[in-house]
Amino acid sequence: MPGTTASPPPDAASAHAPHGTRRREALLDAAARRFNEQGLRGATLADIAGAVGLATNSLTHYFRRKEELAAACLLRAVAAVDELAAEAAAEPALEARLRHFFCGFAARLAEVHAGRRPDLVAFNDVRALPESQAEPVFAAYNTMYRRVRALLDAEDAPRLSRAERNARGHVVLSVANWLRTWIVRHELECYERAAARVAELLVHGLAAPGSRWAQVAALPAIVLAPPAEDAAAEAFLQAATALVNEQGYRGASVERIAARLHLSKGAFYHRHDTKHDLISACFDRSFELQRAALRAAEAAPGSGWQRAGAAARAMARFQLSAQGPLLRASATSALPDAAERERVQRSGERLAARCAELLLAGLVDGSIRPLDPALAAEVLLAVVNAGAELPLWVPEAGSEDVERLMLQPLFEGLLAPPV
């Protein structure tokens, strides 16, 4: 996540804390920045120690292993989000709850980017932790998720089944996590204003009066069908994409990619010069699949609402199909090559702009209510991105469930009763 390179000034409490506590907090601050820039597996203890003027062996006095440091950073970030959700739960109405939650998160990010608060590590690579460190982090994350999900139990919210409640909680938390990637395009003083618009959009959806999810038709299945000329190449792309989504760029090693296909490292290098080339191809594959969905939707008949819904439906269903998933956008941050990272980020931004054009068409024809199409496109892509992880919260969910559990609440709003 973008932030200042210098350490932020200590707050009043930490300034009066014992020296060992202050040093530990400084290490957590530096580690959070490095993990956000390089991924949990890419950052090194030496780099983190150097950021606070320590030798590596001095750092191990506080954290014996990098994984322990990563877990401590994640637990601190989980606690911060959990606190925001607990405060938001005091509001009685759903929109007030989500506005409080998102605006509080945006205010924290503004302080981080202004250098007044320490960074919070993103949750991108949480599954890359080894089991001994992952267990307490997952327990804390699940508690935080349940608190975010409980925001949906507002007085004015519809009654939901367990699966619907879990999926909508996943939508809210995923959109909050995605907010970190695009809010930097706004002025710091406008962060909370943008976050309030996100909350309003989630609660009321995209629909103008008369627009219903049932009006959205499916695009032909062939639109998102990967090319079949080289099944082996496609298998490598699928395996690498799934591993990067789970373990991050660094964690998706050549050995693991080959093992997922029950092949040797030699079989990998028979087809690929480097891992970097394969991962770059994974990004290109995911972008081209999304581009194909948007292109087909642009050419389809119907209102802007129907065409935007068709594109979202195709992309979200692909996530849990036999050919899925798409590469998650957060994998970009851990790419080791700066030029490649910038290329991938620009591609993602262009796709978001293209998605916004579909929404703008709906604004023009009246099928989508007045809203910020650029911001709505980011939220839409966040939900599509989150579709790949729906089975973590709804284990029985398949590709046909994503639209019912995640897209319909987005397009019609969280106040709308489920289909």
Side-chain angles (χ1 to χ4, degrees):
M1 178 175 129
T4 53
T5 54
S7 298
D11 56 31
S14 62
H16 294 90
H19 176 74
T21 301
R22 293 199 304 273
R23 181 57 59 83
R24 187 178 187 277
E25 290 300 308
L27 284 169
L28 289 172
D29 298 345
R33 289 194 299 277
R34 295 299 185 274
F35 290 141
N36 284 339
E37 292 167 1
Q38 302 169 18
L40 295 188
R41 292 184 180 273
T44 66
L45 283 180
D47 190 27
I48 295 167
V52 293
L54 286 178
T56 306
N57 59 356
S58 297
L59 185 153
T60 56
H61 173 74
Y62 300 92
F63 300 97
R64 289 177 298 173
R65 300 173 57 204
K66 183 177 68 173
E67 291 77 12
E68 292 179 5
L69 179 55
C73 287
L74 285 163
L75 287 170
R76 186 169 70 162
V78 165
V81 177
D82 186 76
E83 182 180 357
L84 288 172
E87 293 172 357
E91 301 284 354
L94 181 59
E95 185 170 354
R97 287 180 169 200
L98 293 190
R99 186 188 307 114
H100 192 121
F101 176 66
F102 280 97
C103 288
F105 191 43
R108 175 65 182 255
L109 292 178
E111 290 189 308
V112 168
H113 297 164
R116 294 191 295 269
R117 292 284 292 272
D119 208 347
L120 293 175
V121 71
F123 302 130
N124 300 340
D125 296 343
V126 63
R127 285 186 286 171
L129 287 173
E131 186 174 352
S132 57
Q133 280 77 42
E135 187 173 346
V137 172
F138 284 158
Y141 189 94
N142 287 337
T143 298
M144 177 265 289
Y145 161 76
R146 287 192 290 270
R147 199 182 297 276
V148 171
R149 183 187 61 187
L151 297 177
L152 300 171
D153 302 331
E155 295 175 356
D156 58 342
R159 296 187 66 178
L160 305 170
S161 69
R162 179 178 177 276
E164 290 158 353
R165 190 166 174 263
N166 282 354
R168 293 187 183 203
H170 178 45
V171 165
V172 172
L173 189 53
S174 298
V175 170
N177 289 335
W178 187 277
L179 182 144
R180 302 167 69 121
T181 67
W182 58 261
I183 203 166
V184 291
R185 301 171 202 162
H186 294 258
E187 296 284 345
L188 291 179
E189 63 190 63
C190 300
Y191 274 23
E192 289 186 60
R193 189 186 311 162
R197 294 204 301 273
V198 170
E200 193 273 343
L201 189 152
L202 284 175
V203 171
H204 299 289
L206 310 179
S211 294
R212 293 292 178 267
W213 180 252
Q215 299 166 346
V216 175
L219 295 173
I222 191 66
V223 168
L224 262 72
E229 295 84 26
D230 191 338
E234 178 62 21
F236 270 108
L237 289 168
Q238 280 185 252
T241 295
L243 270 171
V244 172
N245 284 354
E246 295 168 11
Q247 301 287 328
Y249 177 90
R250 307 274 184 175
S253 65
V254 169
E255 292 87 349
R256 287 179 173 175
I257 295 170
R260 182 157 290 201
L261 296 173
H262 307 291
L263 296 172
S264 65
K265 284 178 63 177
F268 176 96
Y269 286 115
H270 178 71
R271 301 189 64 92
H272 307 92
D273 291 333
T274 66
K275 183 184 83 169
H276 175 81
D277 292 338
L278 176 60
I279 304 303
S280 181
C282 288
F283 276 107
D284 291 339
R285 170 183 181 266
S286 288
F287 288 142
E288 184 51 42
L289 288 165
Q290 294 173 76
R291 197 174 291 120
L294 293 168
R295 187 185 300 120
E298 290 162 353
S303 66
W305 160 271
Q306 291 170 310
R307 288 183 284 139
R313 183 179 183 177
M315 291 186 285
R317 291 185 69 164
F318 182 86
Q319 295 280 37
L320 299 182
S321 71
Q323 293 78 36
L326 298 167
L327 196 63
R328 62 180 173 86
S330 55
T332 308
S333 61
L335 285 172
D337 182 74
E340 176 70 359
R341 187 162 58 246
E342 182 175 359
R343 182 188 75 84
V344 168
Q345 288 171 345
R346 295 293 85 78
S347 294
E349 290 169 4
R350 285 192 288 269
L351 282 172
R354 191 165 183 174
C355 183
E357 290 178 8
L358 274 179
L359 298 173
L360 183 58
L363 286 171
V364 172
D365 65 32
S367 59
I368 291 176
R369 69 186 180 89
L371 45 74
D372 179 341
L375 185 148
E378 292 291 353
V379 173
L380 188 156
L381 292 174
V383 175
V384 167
N385 194 69
E389 296 184 329
L390 179 60
L392 295 175
W393 310 108
V394 185
E396 67 274 18
S399 62
E400 295 182 0
D401 297 307
V402 179
E403 59 184 275
R404 175 178 65 86
L405 294 174
M406 297 181 70
L407 293 184
Q408 182 261 340
L410 168 65
F411 275 74
E412 294 189 0
L414 293 174
L415 283 177
V419 175

